[in-house]
Amino acid sequence: MQRARCRSASLIVVTLVAIVVAGSLLLLASNNPPDRIPSYVAWTPETIAAASRGDAFRGMLLAKRCDHCHGAEGFSAEAYIPNLVGIDKLAIWKQLEDFRSHKRLSRAMGPIADSLSPRDVSDVVAYYAKLPAFADPQDNRIFPQAQPDSTHAATASRLISFGDGVRGIPSCQACHGPVAYRPGVPSLATQNAVYVLNQLEAFASQSRANDINMPMRTIAGLLTEDERRALAEYYGAGLGLEPASLTAPK
């Protein structure tokens, strides 16, 4: 009888231990959410064709609703709102698709992107991709902004041309191009400084996470706050239109 009682007590203890371990594992799993898919966009021949077949004239008509924020001719009057002029169509298309799928979050852009059909998206990006960047009396641009001080200009020029090998930071121009433009990549050639800074900060904090394979989250997180500001000021001043080696302080 005594043995039976001991055996029963042992079973109870083992069961309690198993329950505790299982509960701990569940708690551990709940603290480690599954990896977030950054974007549903996959660059296939089909998606590239969809992004490239837009009607720019129809896109011009649709873009009238965008003028209030992004400005006539694609230049915004507010430094925190992006200029859309001359950005490669694949780059704009991906961002609109990410807004539509809510992989890039914005209280302003989310509802607007939701209202666009796939054809609308292709037409709008075709329009903005064709807009010229030269001055136009009809636009209300604030670009370019003030020139950075010499310290910030030197910091930005170094990072754009060479990156920082010690920290594993590639040069900005490796992706964004030597004159801040490359097909398929967001152009920084005519972008507002505050918008650039806000996006770098969002990537660094991972509140923006729609970069496939995390290049911008990784790089922005490795940059210091002062370096992020220097890069934003540099591009916002229009210096990205020239090779960084020509704009570095002598």
Side-chain angles (χ1 to χ4, degrees), residues 146-158 226 230-231 233-234 237 239 244 247-250:
Q147 297 286 309
D149 63 42
S150 58
T151 301
H152 273 183
T155 297
S157 178
R158 173 178 53 81
D226 192 61
L231 287 168
E233 291 175 358
Y234 188 94
L239 298 178
T247 58
K250 300 297 189 285

mmCIF file with all atom_site columns, all heavy atoms in Angstrom, residues 146-158 226 230-231 233-234 237 239 244 247-250:
data_model
loop_
_atom_site.group_PDB
_atom_site.id
_atom_site.type_symbol
_atom_site.label_atom_id
_atom_site.label_alt_id
_atom_site.label_comp_id
_atom_site.label_asym_id
_atom_site.label_entity_id
_atom_site.label_seq_id
_atom_site.pdbx_PDB_ins_code
_atom_site.Cartn_x
_atom_site.Cartn_y
_atom_site.Cartn_z
_atom_site.occupancy
_atom_site.B_iso_or_equiv
_atom_site.pdbx_formal_charge
_atom_site.auth_seq_id
_atom_site.auth_comp_id
_atom_site.auth_asym_id
_atom_site.auth_atom_id
_atom_site.pdbx_PDB_model_num
ATOM 1   N N   . ALA A 1 146 ? 18.565 73.720 -47.608 1.00 0.00 ? 146 ALA A N   1
ATOM 2   C CA  . ALA A 1 146 ? 19.836 74.372 -47.270 1.00 0.00 ? 146 ALA A CA  1
ATOM 3   C C   . ALA A 1 146 ? 21.007 73.409 -47.389 1.00 0.00 ? 146 ALA A C   1
ATOM 4   O O   . ALA A 1 146 ? 20.880 72.201 -47.162 1.00 0.00 ? 146 ALA A O   1
ATOM 5   C CB  . ALA A 1 146 ? 19.757 74.934 -45.855 1.00 0.00 ? 146 ALA A CB  1
ATOM 6   N N   . GLN A 1 147 ? 22.154 73.964 -47.745 1.00 0.00 ? 147 GLN A N   1
ATOM 7   C CA  . GLN A 1 147 ? 23.372 73.175 -47.846 1.00 0.00 ? 147 GLN A CA  1
ATOM 8   C C   . GLN A 1 147 ? 23.819 72.715 -46.458 1.00 0.00 ? 147 GLN A C   1
ATOM 9   O O   . GLN A 1 147 ? 23.695 73.453 -45.478 1.00 0.00 ? 147 GLN A O   1
ATOM 10  C CB  . GLN A 1 147 ? 24.495 74.008 -48.467 1.00 0.00 ? 147 GLN A CB  1
ATOM 11  C CG  . GLN A 1 147 ? 24.218 74.464 -49.887 1.00 0.00 ? 147 GLN A CG  1
ATOM 12  C CD  . GLN A 1 147 ? 24.350 73.329 -50.887 1.00 0.00 ? 147 GLN A CD  1
ATOM 13  O OE1 . GLN A 1 147 ? 25.352 72.628 -50.906 1.00 0.00 ? 147 GLN A OE1 1
ATOM 14  N NE2 . GLN A 1 147 ? 23.339 73.143 -51.714 1.00 0.00 ? 147 GLN A NE2 1
ATOM 15  N N   . PRO A 1 148 ? 24.337 71.485 -46.335 1.00 0.00 ? 148 PRO A N   1
ATOM 16  C CA  . PRO A 1 148 ? 24.837 71.032 -45.026 1.00 0.00 ? 148 PRO A CA  1
ATOM 17  C C   . PRO A 1 148 ? 26.122 71.752 -44.669 1.00 0.00 ? 148 PRO A C   1
ATOM 18  O O   . PRO A 1 148 ? 26.815 72.290 -45.547 1.00 0.00 ? 148 PRO A O   1
ATOM 19  C CB  . PRO A 1 148 ? 25.080 69.536 -45.259 1.00 0.00 ? 148 PRO A CB  1
ATOM 20  C CG  . PRO A 1 148 ? 25.355 69.420 -46.724 1.00 0.00 ? 148 PRO A CG  1
ATOM 21  C CD  . PRO A 1 148 ? 24.503 70.466 -47.388 1.00 0.00 ? 148 PRO A CD  1
ATOM 22  N N   . ASP A 1 149 ? 26.443 71.789 -43.367 1.00 0.00 ? 149 ASP A N   1
ATOM 23  C CA  . ASP A 1 149 ? 27.730 72.368 -42.985 1.00 0.00 ? 149 ASP A CA  1
ATOM 24  C C   . ASP A 1 149 ? 28.852 71.450 -43.463 1.00 0.00 ? 149 ASP A C   1
ATOM 25  O O   . ASP A 1 149 ? 28.616 70.316 -43.892 1.00 0.00 ? 149 ASP A O   1
ATOM 26  C CB  . ASP A 1 149 ? 27.802 72.620 -41.472 1.00 0.00 ? 149 ASP A CB  1
ATOM 27  C CG  . ASP A 1 149 ? 27.696 71.342 -40.636 1.00 0.00 ? 149 ASP A CG  1
ATOM 28  O OD1 . ASP A 1 149 ? 28.305 70.315 -41.000 1.00 0.00 ? 149 ASP A OD1 1
ATOM 29  O OD2 . ASP A 1 149 ? 26.987 71.372 -39.612 1.00 0.00 ? 149 ASP A OD2 1
ATOM 30  N N   . SER A 1 150 ? 30.076 71.933 -43.409 1.00 0.00 ? 150 SER A N   1
ATOM 31  C CA  . SER A 1 150 ? 31.200 71.204 -44.002 1.00 0.00 ? 150 SER A CA  1
ATOM 32  C C   . SER A 1 150 ? 31.429 69.844 -43.344 1.00 0.00 ? 150 SER A C   1
ATOM 33  O O   . SER A 1 150 ? 31.796 68.872 -44.019 1.00 0.00 ? 150 SER A O   1
ATOM 34  C CB  . SER A 1 150 ? 32.485 72.044 -43.900 1.00 0.00 ? 150 SER A CB  1
ATOM 35  O OG  . SER A 1 150 ? 32.775 72.359 -42.543 1.00 0.00 ? 150 SER A OG  1
ATOM 36  N N   . THR A 1 151 ? 31.176 69.759 -42.032 1.00 0.00 ? 151 THR A N   1
ATOM 37  C CA  . THR A 1 151 ? 31.373 68.478 -41.332 1.00 0.00 ? 151 THR A CA  1
ATOM 38  C C   . THR A 1 151 ? 30.366 67.444 -41.815 1.00 0.00 ? 151 THR A C   1
ATOM 39  O O   . THR A 1 151 ? 30.725 66.297 -42.111 1.00 0.00 ? 151 THR A O   1
ATOM 40  C CB  . THR A 1 151 ? 31.246 68.671 -39.809 1.00 0.00 ? 151 THR A CB  1
ATOM 41  O OG1 . THR A 1 151 ? 32.215 69.614 -39.372 1.00 0.00 ? 151 THR A OG1 1
ATOM 42  C CG2 . THR A 1 151 ? 31.459 67.349 -39.091 1.00 0.00 ? 151 THR A CG2 1
ATOM 43  N N   . HIS A 1 152 ? 29.108 67.830 -41.896 1.00 0.00 ? 152 HIS A N   1
ATOM 44  C CA  . HIS A 1 152 ? 28.081 66.913 -42.371 1.00 0.00 ? 152 HIS A CA  1
ATOM 45  C C   . HIS A 1 152 ? 28.285 66.560 -43.846 1.00 0.00 ? 152 HIS A C   1
ATOM 46  O O   . HIS A 1 152 ? 28.047 65.419 -44.255 1.00 0.00 ? 152 HIS A O   1
ATOM 47  C CB  . HIS A 1 152 ? 26.695 67.519 -42.153 1.00 0.00 ? 152 HIS A CB  1
ATOM 48  C CG  . HIS A 1 152 ? 26.140 67.230 -40.809 1.00 0.00 ? 152 HIS A CG  1
ATOM 49  N ND1 . HIS A 1 152 ? 24.881 67.617 -40.409 1.00 0.00 ? 152 HIS A ND1 1
ATOM 50  C CD2 . HIS A 1 152 ? 26.671 66.568 -39.741 1.00 0.00 ? 152 HIS A CD2 1
ATOM 51  C CE1 . HIS A 1 152 ? 24.661 67.224 -39.167 1.00 0.00 ? 152 HIS A CE1 1
ATOM 52  N NE2 . HIS A 1 152 ? 25.729 66.589 -38.743 1.00 0.00 ? 152 HIS A NE2 1
ATOM 53  N N   . ALA A 1 153 ? 28.727 67.541 -44.645 1.00 0.00 ? 153 ALA A N   1
ATOM 54  C CA  . ALA A 1 153 ? 28.972 67.268 -46.061 1.00 0.00 ? 153 ALA A CA  1
ATOM 55  C C   . ALA A 1 153 ? 30.077 66.232 -46.230 1.00 0.00 ? 153 ALA A C   1
ATOM 56  O O   . ALA A 1 153 ? 29.981 65.318 -47.059 1.00 0.00 ? 153 ALA A O   1
ATOM 57  C CB  . ALA A 1 153 ? 29.340 68.558 -46.792 1.00 0.00 ? 153 ALA A CB  1
ATOM 58  N N   . ALA A 1 154 ? 31.140 66.355 -45.431 1.00 0.00 ? 154 ALA A N   1
ATOM 59  C CA  . ALA A 1 154 ? 32.246 65.400 -45.507 1.00 0.00 ? 154 ALA A CA  1
ATOM 60  C C   . ALA A 1 154 ? 31.807 64.010 -45.056 1.00 0.00 ? 154 ALA A C   1
ATOM 61  O O   . ALA A 1 154 ? 32.170 63.000 -45.666 1.00 0.00 ? 154 ALA A O   1
ATOM 62  C CB  . ALA A 1 154 ? 33.412 65.891 -44.645 1.00 0.00 ? 154 ALA A CB  1
ATOM 63  N N   . THR A 1 155 ? 31.018 63.949 -43.984 1.00 0.00 ? 155 THR A N   1
ATOM 64  C CA  . THR A 1 155 ? 30.515 62.665 -43.480 1.00 0.00 ? 155 THR A CA  1
ATOM 65  C C   . THR A 1 155 ? 29.660 61.974 -44.529 1.00 0.00 ? 155 THR A C   1
ATOM 66  O O   . THR A 1 155 ? 29.832 60.782 -44.822 1.00 0.00 ? 155 THR A O   1
ATOM 67  C CB  . THR A 1 155 ? 29.696 62.878 -42.194 1.00 0.00 ? 155 THR A CB  1
ATOM 68  O OG1 . THR A 1 155 ? 30.536 63.409 -41.171 1.00 0.00 ? 155 THR A OG1 1
ATOM 69  C CG2 . THR A 1 155 ? 29.081 61.575 -41.709 1.00 0.00 ? 155 THR A CG2 1
ATOM 70  N N   . ALA A 1 156 ? 28.725 62.720 -45.113 1.00 0.00 ? 156 ALA A N   1
ATOM 71  C CA  . ALA A 1 156 ? 27.827 62.140 -46.112 1.00 0.00 ? 156 ALA A CA  1
ATOM 72  C C   . ALA A 1 156 ? 28.587 61.714 -47.354 1.00 0.00 ? 156 ALA A C   1
ATOM 73  O O   . ALA A 1 156 ? 28.353 60.617 -47.893 1.00 0.00 ? 156 ALA A O   1
ATOM 74  C CB  . ALA A 1 156 ? 26.742 63.151 -46.475 1.00 0.00 ? 156 ALA A CB  1
ATOM 75  N N   . SER A 1 157 ? 29.507 62.544 -47.821 1.00 0.00 ? 157 SER A N   1
ATOM 76  C CA  . SER A 1 157 ? 30.277 62.218 -49.022 1.00 0.00 ? 157 SER A CA  1
ATOM 77  C C   . SER A 1 157 ? 31.059 60.923 -48.833 1.00 0.00 ? 157 SER A C   1
ATOM 78  O O   . SER A 1 157 ? 31.116 60.074 -49.738 1.00 0.00 ? 157 SER A O   1
ATOM 79  C CB  . SER A 1 157 ? 31.229 63.371 -49.352 1.00 0.00 ? 157 SER A CB  1
ATOM 80  O OG  . SER A 1 157 ? 32.006 63.066 -50.479 1.00 0.00 ? 157 SER A OG  1
ATOM 81  N N   . ARG A 1 158 ? 31.646 60.755 -47.648 1.00 0.00 ? 158 ARG A N   1
ATOM 82  C CA  . ARG A 1 158 ? 32.407 59.524 -47.366 1.00 0.00 ? 158 ARG A CA  1
ATOM 83  C C   . ARG A 1 158 ? 31.497 58.302 -47.375 1.00 0.00 ? 158 ARG A C   1
ATOM 84  O O   . ARG A 1 158 ? 31.839 57.268 -47.968 1.00 0.00 ? 158 ARG A O   1
ATOM 85  C CB  . ARG A 1 158 ? 33.109 59.666 -46.007 1.00 0.00 ? 158 ARG A CB  1
ATOM 86  C CG  . ARG A 1 158 ? 33.807 58.395 -45.521 1.00 0.00 ? 158 ARG A CG  1
ATOM 87  C CD  . ARG A 1 158 ? 34.521 58.638 -44.197 1.00 0.00 ? 158 ARG A CD  1
ATOM 88  N NE  . ARG A 1 158 ? 33.658 59.201 -43.185 1.00 0.00 ? 158 ARG A NE  1
ATOM 89  C CZ  . ARG A 1 158 ? 32.804 58.497 -42.441 1.00 0.00 ? 158 ARG A CZ  1
ATOM 90  N NH1 . ARG A 1 158 ? 32.701 57.179 -42.630 1.00 0.00 ? 158 ARG A NH1 1
ATOM 91  N NH2 . ARG A 1 158 ? 32.068 59.080 -41.514 1.00 0.00 ? 158 ARG A NH2 1
ATOM 92  N N   . ASP A 1 226 ? 23.755 61.169 -36.028 1.00 0.00 ? 226 ASP A N   1
ATOM 93  C CA  . ASP A 1 226 ? 24.380 62.292 -36.733 1.00 0.00 ? 226 ASP A CA  1
ATOM 94  C C   . ASP A 1 226 ? 24.652 61.931 -38.194 1.00 0.00 ? 226 ASP A C   1
ATOM 95  O O   . ASP A 1 226 ? 24.497 62.786 -39.079 1.00 0.00 ? 226 ASP A O   1
ATOM 96  C CB  . ASP A 1 226 ? 25.688 62.686 -36.036 1.00 0.00 ? 226 ASP A CB  1
ATOM 97  C CG  . ASP A 1 226 ? 26.235 64.015 -36.544 1.00 0.00 ? 226 ASP A CG  1
ATOM 98  O OD1 . ASP A 1 226 ? 25.533 65.044 -36.391 1.00 0.00 ? 226 ASP A OD1 1
ATOM 99  O OD2 . ASP A 1 226 ? 27.345 64.032 -37.114 1.00 0.00 ? 226 ASP A OD2 1
ATOM 100 N N   . ALA A 1 230 ? 23.253 63.750 -41.504 1.00 0.00 ? 230 ALA A N   1
ATOM 101 C CA  . ALA A 1 230 ? 24.175 64.260 -42.528 1.00 0.00 ? 230 ALA A CA  1
ATOM 102 C C   . ALA A 1 230 ? 23.764 63.788 -43.918 1.00 0.00 ? 230 ALA A C   1
ATOM 103 O O   . ALA A 1 230 ? 23.772 64.568 -44.881 1.00 0.00 ? 230 ALA A O   1
ATOM 104 C CB  . ALA A 1 230 ? 25.603 63.816 -42.207 1.00 0.00 ? 230 ALA A CB  1
ATOM 105 N N   . LEU A 1 231 ? 23.397 62.521 -44.043 1.00 0.00 ? 231 LEU A N   1
ATOM 106 C CA  . LEU A 1 231 ? 22.973 61.988 -45.341 1.00 0.00 ? 231 LEU A CA  1
ATOM 107 C C   . LEU A 1 231 ? 21.687 62.656 -45.814 1.00 0.00 ? 231 LEU A C   1
ATOM 108 O O   . LEU A 1 231 ? 21.553 63.000 -46.996 1.00 0.00 ? 231 LEU A O   1
ATOM 109 C CB  . LEU A 1 231 ? 22.781 60.478 -45.240 1.00 0.00 ? 231 LEU A CB  1
ATOM 110 C CG  . LEU A 1 231 ? 24.057 59.647 -45.146 1.00 0.00 ? 231 LEU A CG  1
ATOM 111 C CD1 . LEU A 1 231 ? 23.730 58.212 -44.749 1.00 0.00 ? 231 LEU A CD1 1
ATOM 112 C CD2 . LEU A 1 231 ? 24.809 59.673 -46.472 1.00 0.00 ? 231 LEU A CD2 1
ATOM 113 N N   . GLU A 1 233 ? 20.553 65.668 -45.050 1.00 0.00 ? 233 GLU A N   1
ATOM 114 C CA  . GLU A 1 233 ? 20.847 67.043 -45.446 1.00 0.00 ? 233 GLU A CA  1
ATOM 115 C C   . GLU A 1 233 ? 21.545 67.081 -46.805 1.00 0.00 ? 233 GLU A C   1
ATOM 116 O O   . GLU A 1 233 ? 21.264 67.953 -47.644 1.00 0.00 ? 233 GLU A O   1
ATOM 117 C CB  . GLU A 1 233 ? 21.724 67.717 -44.387 1.00 0.00 ? 233 GLU A CB  1
ATOM 118 C CG  . GLU A 1 233 ? 21.018 67.974 -43.061 1.00 0.00 ? 233 GLU A CG  1
ATOM 119 C CD  . GLU A 1 233 ? 21.963 68.520 -42.008 1.00 0.00 ? 233 GLU A CD  1
ATOM 120 O OE1 . GLU A 1 233 ? 23.179 68.662 -42.308 1.00 0.00 ? 233 GLU A OE1 1
ATOM 121 O OE2 . GLU A 1 233 ? 21.507 68.796 -40.887 1.00 0.00 ? 233 GLU A OE2 1
ATOM 122 N N   . TYR A 1 234 ? 22.444 66.142 -47.022 1.00 0.00 ? 234 TYR A N   1
ATOM 123 C CA  . TYR A 1 234 ? 23.222 66.095 -48.265 1.00 0.00 ? 234 TYR A CA  1
ATOM 124 C C   . TYR A 1 234 ? 22.295 65.863 -49.468 1.00 0.00 ? 234 TYR A C   1
ATOM 125 O O   . TYR A 1 234 ? 22.323 66.607 -50.448 1.00 0.00 ? 234 TYR A O   1
ATOM 126 C CB  . TYR A 1 234 ? 24.248 64.969 -48.161 1.00 0.00 ? 234 TYR A CB  1
ATOM 127 C CG  . TYR A 1 234 ? 25.253 64.896 -49.280 1.00 0.00 ? 234 TYR A CG  1
ATOM 128 C CD1 . TYR A 1 234 ? 26.495 65.508 -49.161 1.00 0.00 ? 234 TYR A CD1 1
ATOM 129 C CD2 . TYR A 1 234 ? 24.979 64.194 -50.443 1.00 0.00 ? 234 TYR A CD2 1
ATOM 130 C CE1 . TYR A 1 234 ? 27.441 65.428 -50.172 1.00 0.00 ? 234 TYR A CE1 1
ATOM 131 C CE2 . TYR A 1 234 ? 25.913 64.109 -51.468 1.00 0.00 ? 234 TYR A CE2 1
ATOM 132 C CZ  . TYR A 1 234 ? 27.134 64.723 -51.320 1.00 0.00 ? 234 TYR A CZ  1
ATOM 133 O OH  . TYR A 1 234 ? 28.063 64.641 -52.332 1.00 0.00 ? 234 TYR A OH  1
ATOM 134 N N   . ALA A 1 237 ? 19.786 68.733 -50.105 1.00 0.00 ? 237 ALA A N   1
ATOM 135 C CA  . ALA A 1 237 ? 20.368 69.931 -50.703 1.00 0.00 ? 237 ALA A CA  1
ATOM 136 C C   . ALA A 1 237 ? 20.613 69.772 -52.200 1.00 0.00 ? 237 ALA A C   1
ATOM 137 O O   . ALA A 1 237 ? 21.101 70.697 -52.854 1.00 0.00 ? 237 ALA A O   1
ATOM 138 C CB  . ALA A 1 237 ? 21.682 70.281 -50.002 1.00 0.00 ? 237 ALA A CB  1
ATOM 139 N N   . LEU A 1 239 ? 22.727 67.644 -53.528 1.00 0.00 ? 239 LEU A N   1
ATOM 140 C CA  . LEU A 1 239 ? 24.106 67.263 -53.824 1.00 0.00 ? 239 LEU A CA  1
ATOM 141 C C   . LEU A 1 239 ? 24.212 65.853 -54.391 1.00 0.00 ? 239 LEU A C   1
ATOM 142 O O   . LEU A 1 239 ? 25.235 65.495 -54.968 1.00 0.00 ? 239 LEU A O   1
ATOM 143 C CB  . LEU A 1 239 ? 24.963 67.389 -52.552 1.00 0.00 ? 239 LEU A CB  1
ATOM 144 C CG  . LEU A 1 239 ? 25.058 68.802 -51.979 1.00 0.00 ? 239 LEU A CG  1
ATOM 145 C CD1 . LEU A 1 239 ? 25.888 68.801 -50.703 1.00 0.00 ? 239 LEU A CD1 1
ATOM 146 C CD2 . LEU A 1 239 ? 25.644 69.769 -52.994 1.00 0.00 ? 239 LEU A CD2 1
ATOM 147 N N   . ALA A 1 244 ? 29.649 62.033 -55.454 1.00 0.00 ? 244 ALA A N   1
ATOM 148 C CA  . ALA A 1 244 ? 30.017 62.504 -54.120 1.00 0.00 ? 244 ALA A CA  1
ATOM 149 C C   . ALA A 1 244 ? 31.458 62.995 -54.053 1.00 0.00 ? 244 ALA A C   1
ATOM 150 O O   . ALA A 1 244 ? 31.781 63.896 -53.299 1.00 0.00 ? 244 ALA A O   1
ATOM 151 C CB  . ALA A 1 244 ? 29.804 61.381 -53.098 1.00 0.00 ? 244 ALA A CB  1
ATOM 152 N N   . THR A 1 247 ? 31.652 66.727 -54.594 1.00 0.00 ? 247 THR A N   1
ATOM 153 C CA  . THR A 1 247 ? 31.021 67.610 -53.621 1.00 0.00 ? 247 THR A CA  1
ATOM 154 C C   . THR A 1 247 ? 31.690 67.562 -52.254 1.00 0.00 ? 247 THR A C   1
ATOM 155 O O   . THR A 1 247 ? 31.338 68.325 -51.372 1.00 0.00 ? 247 THR A O   1
ATOM 156 C CB  . THR A 1 247 ? 29.532 67.247 -53.450 1.00 0.00 ? 247 THR A CB  1
ATOM 157 O OG1 . THR A 1 247 ? 29.436 65.882 -53.041 1.00 0.00 ? 247 THR A OG1 1
ATOM 158 C CG2 . THR A 1 247 ? 28.776 67.418 -54.758 1.00 0.00 ? 247 THR A CG2 1
ATOM 159 N N   . ALA A 1 248 ? 32.678 66.668 -52.087 1.00 0.00 ? 248 ALA A N   1
ATOM 160 C CA  . ALA A 1 248 ? 33.363 66.580 -50.800 1.00 0.00 ? 248 ALA A CA  1
ATOM 161 C C   . ALA A 1 248 ? 34.166 67.840 -50.562 1.00 0.00 ? 248 ALA A C   1
ATOM 162 O O   . ALA A 1 248 ? 34.775 68.396 -51.474 1.00 0.00 ? 248 ALA A O   1
ATOM 163 C CB  . ALA A 1 248 ? 34.292 65.363 -50.786 1.00 0.00 ? 248 ALA A CB  1
ATOM 164 N N   . PRO A 1 249 ? 34.182 68.353 -49.314 1.00 0.00 ? 249 PRO A N   1
ATOM 165 C CA  . PRO A 1 249 ? 34.975 69.543 -49.010 1.00 0.00 ? 249 PRO A CA  1
ATOM 166 C C   . PRO A 1 249 ? 36.443 69.315 -49.312 1.00 0.00 ? 249 PRO A C   1
ATOM 167 O O   . PRO A 1 249 ? 36.988 68.240 -49.058 1.00 0.00 ? 249 PRO A O   1
ATOM 168 C CB  . PRO A 1 249 ? 34.737 69.745 -47.502 1.00 0.00 ? 249 PRO A CB  1
ATOM 169 C CG  . PRO A 1 249 ? 33.475 69.020 -47.215 1.00 0.00 ? 249 PRO A CG  1
ATOM 170 C CD  . PRO A 1 249 ? 33.450 67.850 -48.155 1.00 0.00 ? 249 PRO A CD  1
ATOM 171 N N   . LYS A 1 250 ? 37.065 70.305 -49.903 1.00 0.00 ? 250 LYS A N   1
ATOM 172 C CA  . LYS A 1 250 ? 38.484 70.203 -50.261 1.00 0.00 ? 250 LYS A CA  1
ATOM 173 C C   . LYS A 1 250 ? 39.357 70.536 -49.063 1.00 0.00 ? 250 LYS A C   1
ATOM 174 O O   . LYS A 1 250 ? 38.994 71.357 -48.238 1.00 0.00 ? 250 LYS A O   1
ATOM 175 C CB  . LYS A 1 250 ? 38.804 71.139 -51.427 1.00 0.00 ? 250 LYS A CB  1
ATOM 176 C CG  . LYS A 1 250 ? 37.994 70.825 -52.672 1.00 0.00 ? 250 LYS A CG  1
ATOM 177 C CD  . LYS A 1 250 ? 38.317 69.424 -53.194 1.00 0.00 ? 250 LYS A CD  1
ATOM 178 C CE  . LYS A 1 250 ? 37.680 69.193 -54.557 1.00 0.00 ? 250 LYS A CE  1
ATOM 179 N NZ  . LYS A 1 250 ? 36.230 68.965 -54.501 1.00 0.00 ? 250 LYS A NZ  1
#
